[in-house]
PDB file of all heavy atoms in Angstrom:
ATOM      1  N   GLY A 170     -32.568  19.468   3.088  1.00  0.00           N
ATOM      2  CA  GLY A 170     -32.865  20.883   3.244  1.00  0.00           C
ATOM      3  C   GLY A 170     -32.203  21.475   4.471  1.00  0.00           C
ATOM      4  O   GLY A 170     -31.764  22.631   4.465  1.00  0.00           O
ATOM      5  N   ALA A 171     -32.107  20.675   5.554  1.00  0.00           N
ATOM      6  CA  ALA A 171     -31.404  21.142   6.752  1.00  0.00           C
ATOM      7  C   ALA A 171     -29.934  21.376   6.435  1.00  0.00           C
ATOM      8  O   ALA A 171     -29.331  22.364   6.882  1.00  0.00           O
ATOM      9  CB  ALA A 171     -31.558  20.127   7.877  1.00  0.00           C
ATOM     10  N   GLY A 172     -29.337  20.478   5.656  1.00  0.00           N
ATOM     11  CA  GLY A 172     -27.950  20.672   5.240  1.00  0.00           C
ATOM     12  C   GLY A 172     -27.782  21.882   4.352  1.00  0.00           C
ATOM     13  O   GLY A 172     -26.787  22.618   4.447  1.00  0.00           O
ATOM     14  N   LEU A 173     -28.773  22.107   3.499  1.00  0.00           N
ATOM     15  CA  LEU A 173     -28.721  23.264   2.603  1.00  0.00           C
ATOM     16  C   LEU A 173     -28.845  24.558   3.399  1.00  0.00           C
ATOM     17  O   LEU A 173     -28.226  25.580   3.055  1.00  0.00           O
ATOM     18  CB  LEU A 173     -29.849  23.158   1.571  1.00  0.00           C
ATOM     19  CG  LEU A 173     -29.730  24.006   0.319  1.00  0.00           C
ATOM     20  CD1 LEU A 173     -28.464  23.675  -0.442  1.00  0.00           C
ATOM     21  CD2 LEU A 173     -30.945  23.791  -0.573  1.00  0.00           C
ATOM     22  N   ARG A 174     -29.607  24.527   4.465  1.00  0.00           N
ATOM     23  CA  ARG A 174     -29.744  25.706   5.326  1.00  0.00           C
ATOM     24  C   ARG A 174     -28.401  26.030   5.986  1.00  0.00           C
ATOM     25  O   ARG A 174     -28.033  27.207   6.100  1.00  0.00           O
ATOM     26  CB  ARG A 174     -30.806  25.449   6.398  1.00  0.00           C
ATOM     27  CG  ARG A 174     -31.039  26.599   7.350  1.00  0.00           C
ATOM     28  CD  ARG A 174     -31.449  27.845   6.604  1.00  0.00           C
ATOM     29  NE  ARG A 174     -32.037  28.837   7.476  1.00  0.00           N
ATOM     30  CZ  ARG A 174     -32.233  30.100   7.148  1.00  0.00           C
ATOM     31  NH1 ARG A 174     -31.844  30.543   5.956  1.00  0.00           N
ATOM     32  NH2 ARG A 174     -32.794  30.936   7.976  1.00  0.00           N
ATOM     33  N   ILE A 175     -27.662  24.990   6.419  1.00  0.00           N
ATOM     34  CA  ILE A 175     -26.339  25.215   6.998  1.00  0.00           C
ATOM     35  C   ILE A 175     -25.400  25.793   5.943  1.00  0.00           C
ATOM     36  O   ILE A 175     -24.619  26.717   6.217  1.00  0.00           O
ATOM     37  CB  ILE A 175     -25.784  23.903   7.570  1.00  0.00           C
ATOM     38  CG1 ILE A 175     -26.657  23.431   8.742  1.00  0.00           C
ATOM     39  CG2 ILE A 175     -24.329  24.065   8.017  1.00  0.00           C
ATOM     40  CD1 ILE A 175     -26.290  22.063   9.267  1.00  0.00           C
ATOM     41  N   THR A 176     -25.482  25.256   4.727  1.00  0.00           N
ATOM     42  CA  THR A 176     -24.650  25.766   3.633  1.00  0.00           C
ATOM     43  C   THR A 176     -24.923  27.246   3.385  1.00  0.00           C
ATOM     44  O   THR A 176     -23.995  28.048   3.193  1.00  0.00           O
ATOM     45  CB  THR A 176     -24.918  24.963   2.344  1.00  0.00           C
ATOM     46  OG1 THR A 176     -24.680  23.582   2.588  1.00  0.00           O
ATOM     47  CG2 THR A 176     -24.026  25.445   1.204  1.00  0.00           C
ATOM     48  N   GLU A 177     -26.182  27.615   3.407  1.00  0.00           N
ATOM     49  CA  GLU A 177     -26.543  29.033   3.203  1.00  0.00           C
ATOM     50  C   GLU A 177     -26.014  29.899   4.328  1.00  0.00           C
ATOM     51  O   GLU A 177     -25.487  30.998   4.101  1.00  0.00           O
ATOM     52  CB  GLU A 177     -28.064  29.150   3.109  1.00  0.00           C
ATOM     53  CG  GLU A 177     -28.567  30.545   2.758  1.00  0.00           C
ATOM     54  CD  GLU A 177     -28.891  31.394   3.980  1.00  0.00           C
ATOM     55  OE1 GLU A 177     -28.985  30.815   5.090  1.00  0.00           O
ATOM     56  OE2 GLU A 177     -29.045  32.622   3.828  1.00  0.00           O
ATOM     57  N   GLY A 178     -26.103  29.401   5.570  1.00  0.00           N
ATOM     58  CA  GLY A 178     -25.599  30.170   6.699  1.00  0.00           C
ATOM     59  C   GLY A 178     -24.096  30.371   6.629  1.00  0.00           C
ATOM     60  O   GLY A 178     -23.582  31.447   6.969  1.00  0.00           O
ATOM     61  N   VAL A 179     -23.374  29.324   6.189  1.00  0.00           N
ATOM     62  CA  VAL A 179     -21.926  29.437   6.044  1.00  0.00           C
ATOM     63  C   VAL A 179     -21.580  30.416   4.946  1.00  0.00           C
ATOM     64  O   VAL A 179     -20.699  31.284   5.095  1.00  0.00           O
ATOM     65  CB  VAL A 179     -21.302  28.050   5.765  1.00  0.00           C
ATOM     66  CG1 VAL A 179     -19.844  28.193   5.356  1.00  0.00           C
ATOM     67  CG2 VAL A 179     -21.442  27.150   6.992  1.00  0.00           C
ATOM     68  N   ALA A 180     -22.272  30.303   3.805  1.00  0.00           N
ATOM     69  CA  ALA A 180     -21.954  31.161   2.654  1.00  0.00           C
ATOM     70  C   ALA A 180     -22.194  32.633   2.973  1.00  0.00           C
ATOM     71  O   ALA A 180     -21.360  33.495   2.661  1.00  0.00           O
ATOM     72  CB  ALA A 180     -22.776  30.734   1.442  1.00  0.00           C
ATOM     73  N   ILE A 181     -23.312  32.932   3.611  1.00  0.00           N
ATOM     74  CA  ILE A 181     -23.654  34.337   3.839  1.00  0.00           C
ATOM     75  C   ILE A 181     -22.784  34.961   4.931  1.00  0.00           C
ATOM     76  O   ILE A 181     -22.691  36.194   5.034  1.00  0.00           O
ATOM     77  CB  ILE A 181     -25.154  34.473   4.200  1.00  0.00           C
ATOM     78  CG1 ILE A 181     -25.654  35.885   3.853  1.00  0.00           C
ATOM     79  CG2 ILE A 181     -25.409  34.135   5.653  1.00  0.00           C
ATOM     80  CD1 ILE A 181     -27.151  36.035   3.919  1.00  0.00           C
ATOM     81  N   SER A 182     -22.111  34.133   5.746  1.00  0.00           N
ATOM     82  CA  SER A 182     -21.256  34.669   6.806  1.00  0.00           C
ATOM     83  C   SER A 182     -19.899  35.129   6.271  1.00  0.00           C
ATOM     84  O   SER A 182     -19.167  35.826   6.981  1.00  0.00           O
ATOM     85  CB  SER A 182     -21.031  33.599   7.881  1.00  0.00           C
ATOM     86  OG  SER A 182     -20.216  32.543   7.392  1.00  0.00           O
ATOM     87  N   LEU A 183     -19.546  34.740   5.057  1.00  0.00           N
ATOM     88  CA  LEU A 183     -18.241  35.113   4.520  1.00  0.00           C
ATOM     89  C   LEU A 183     -18.186  36.612   4.284  1.00  0.00           C
ATOM     90  O   LEU A 183     -19.098  37.182   3.670  1.00  0.00           O
ATOM     91  CB  LEU A 183     -17.969  34.363   3.211  1.00  0.00           C
ATOM     92  CG  LEU A 183     -17.947  32.835   3.316  1.00  0.00           C
ATOM     93  CD1 LEU A 183     -17.768  32.207   1.942  1.00  0.00           C
ATOM     94  CD2 LEU A 183     -16.845  32.387   4.265  1.00  0.00           C
ATOM     95  N   PRO A 184     -17.144  37.276   4.727  1.00  0.00           N
ATOM     96  CA  PRO A 184     -17.066  38.728   4.562  1.00  0.00           C
ATOM     97  C   PRO A 184     -16.982  39.119   3.081  1.00  0.00           C
ATOM     98  O   PRO A 184     -16.362  38.427   2.278  1.00  0.00           O
ATOM     99  CB  PRO A 184     -15.789  39.119   5.303  1.00  0.00           C
ATOM    100  CG  PRO A 184     -15.166  37.869   5.795  1.00  0.00           C
ATOM    101  CD  PRO A 184     -16.010  36.715   5.427  1.00  0.00           C
ATOM    102  N   LEU A 185     -17.632  40.211   2.737  1.00  0.00           N
ATOM    103  CA  LEU A 185     -17.604  40.838   1.415  1.00  0.00           C
ATOM    104  C   LEU A 185     -18.330  40.030   0.343  1.00  0.00           C
ATOM    105  O   LEU A 185     -19.177  40.559  -0.378  1.00  0.00           O
ATOM    106  CB  LEU A 185     -16.161  41.109   0.958  1.00  0.00           C
ATOM    107  CG  LEU A 185     -15.316  42.012   1.881  1.00  0.00           C
ATOM    108  CD1 LEU A 185     -13.914  42.170   1.335  1.00  0.00           C
ATOM    109  CD2 LEU A 185     -15.988  43.367   2.061  1.00  0.00           C
ATOM    110  N   VAL A 186     -18.015  38.734   0.195  1.00  0.00           N
ATOM    111  CA  VAL A 186     -18.565  37.958  -0.916  1.00  0.00           C
ATOM    112  C   VAL A 186     -19.745  37.086  -0.511  1.00  0.00           C
ATOM    113  O   VAL A 186     -20.383  36.472  -1.371  1.00  0.00           O
ATOM    114  CB  VAL A 186     -17.463  37.061  -1.529  1.00  0.00           C
ATOM    115  CG1 VAL A 186     -16.336  37.891  -2.099  1.00  0.00           C
ATOM    116  CG2 VAL A 186     -16.937  36.062  -0.504  1.00  0.00           C
ATOM    117  N   GLY A 187     -20.053  37.011   0.791  1.00  0.00           N
ATOM    118  CA  GLY A 187     -21.072  36.085   1.259  1.00  0.00           C
ATOM    119  C   GLY A 187     -22.438  36.299   0.639  1.00  0.00           C
ATOM    120  O   GLY A 187     -23.076  35.353   0.174  1.00  0.00           O
ATOM    121  N   THR A 188     -22.886  37.541   0.603  1.00  0.00           N
ATOM    122  CA  THR A 188     -24.219  37.810   0.052  1.00  0.00           C
ATOM    123  C   THR A 188     -24.261  37.531  -1.446  1.00  0.00           C
ATOM    124  O   THR A 188     -25.268  37.037  -1.963  1.00  0.00           O
ATOM    125  CB  THR A 188     -24.622  39.264   0.309  1.00  0.00           C
ATOM    126  OG1 THR A 188     -23.569  40.136  -0.138  1.00  0.00           O
ATOM    127  CG2 THR A 188     -24.864  39.500   1.788  1.00  0.00           C
ATOM    128  N   TYR A 189     -23.177  37.826  -2.148  1.00  0.00           N
ATOM    129  CA  TYR A 189     -23.149  37.570  -3.592  1.00  0.00           C
ATOM    130  C   TYR A 189     -23.229  36.072  -3.874  1.00  0.00           C
ATOM    131  O   TYR A 189     -23.949  35.633  -4.782  1.00  0.00           O
ATOM    132  CB  TYR A 189     -21.873  38.145  -4.213  1.00  0.00           C
ATOM    133  CG  TYR A 189     -21.800  39.649  -4.151  1.00  0.00           C
ATOM    134  CD1 TYR A 189     -21.086  40.297  -3.141  1.00  0.00           C
ATOM    135  CD2 TYR A 189     -22.462  40.439  -5.092  1.00  0.00           C
ATOM    136  CE1 TYR A 189     -21.020  41.674  -3.078  1.00  0.00           C
ATOM    137  CE2 TYR A 189     -22.403  41.827  -5.036  1.00  0.00           C
ATOM    138  CZ  TYR A 189     -21.680  42.438  -4.030  1.00  0.00           C
ATOM    139  OH  TYR A 189     -21.616  43.812  -3.968  1.00  0.00           O
ATOM    140  N   ILE A 190     -22.464  35.260  -3.102  1.00  0.00           N
ATOM    141  CA  ILE A 190     -22.499  33.803  -3.288  1.00  0.00           C
ATOM    142  C   ILE A 190     -23.890  33.263  -2.991  1.00  0.00           C
ATOM    143  O   ILE A 190     -24.427  32.418  -3.730  1.00  0.00           O
ATOM    144  CB  ILE A 190     -21.456  33.135  -2.366  1.00  0.00           C
ATOM    145  CG1 ILE A 190     -20.039  33.495  -2.820  1.00  0.00           C
ATOM    146  CG2 ILE A 190     -21.629  31.617  -2.373  1.00  0.00           C
ATOM    147  CD1 ILE A 190     -18.955  32.986  -1.889  1.00  0.00           C
ATOM    148  N   THR A 191     -24.519  33.775  -1.930  1.00  0.00           N
ATOM    149  CA  THR A 191     -25.843  33.292  -1.545  1.00  0.00           C
ATOM    150  C   THR A 191     -26.877  33.615  -2.622  1.00  0.00           C
ATOM    151  O   THR A 191     -27.675  32.743  -3.010  1.00  0.00           O
ATOM    152  CB  THR A 191     -26.269  33.924  -0.210  1.00  0.00           C
ATOM    153  OG1 THR A 191     -25.272  33.643   0.776  1.00  0.00           O
ATOM    154  CG2 THR A 191     -27.598  33.360   0.242  1.00  0.00           C
ATOM    155  N   PHE A 192     -26.851  34.830  -3.134  1.00  0.00           N
ATOM    156  CA  PHE A 192     -27.814  35.197  -4.174  1.00  0.00           C
ATOM    157  C   PHE A 192     -27.541  34.440  -5.469  1.00  0.00           C
ATOM    158  O   PHE A 192     -28.455  34.126  -6.226  1.00  0.00           O
ATOM    159  CB  PHE A 192     -27.781  36.708  -4.410  1.00  0.00           C
ATOM    160  CG  PHE A 192     -28.686  37.473  -3.497  1.00  0.00           C
ATOM    161  CD1 PHE A 192     -28.426  37.552  -2.138  1.00  0.00           C
ATOM    162  CD2 PHE A 192     -29.818  38.114  -3.971  1.00  0.00           C
ATOM    163  CE1 PHE A 192     -29.252  38.243  -1.276  1.00  0.00           C
ATOM    164  CE2 PHE A 192     -30.663  38.815  -3.131  1.00  0.00           C
ATOM    165  CZ  PHE A 192     -30.385  38.884  -1.769  1.00  0.00           C
TER     166      PHE A 192
END
Side-chain angles (χ1 to χ4, degrees):
L173 198 59
R174 180 58 164 166
I175 295 173
T176 303
E177 186 267 346
V179 169
I181 204 169
S182 69
L183 300 176
L185 302 179
V186 298
T188 51
Y189 294 97
I190 292 175
T191 304
F192 273 68

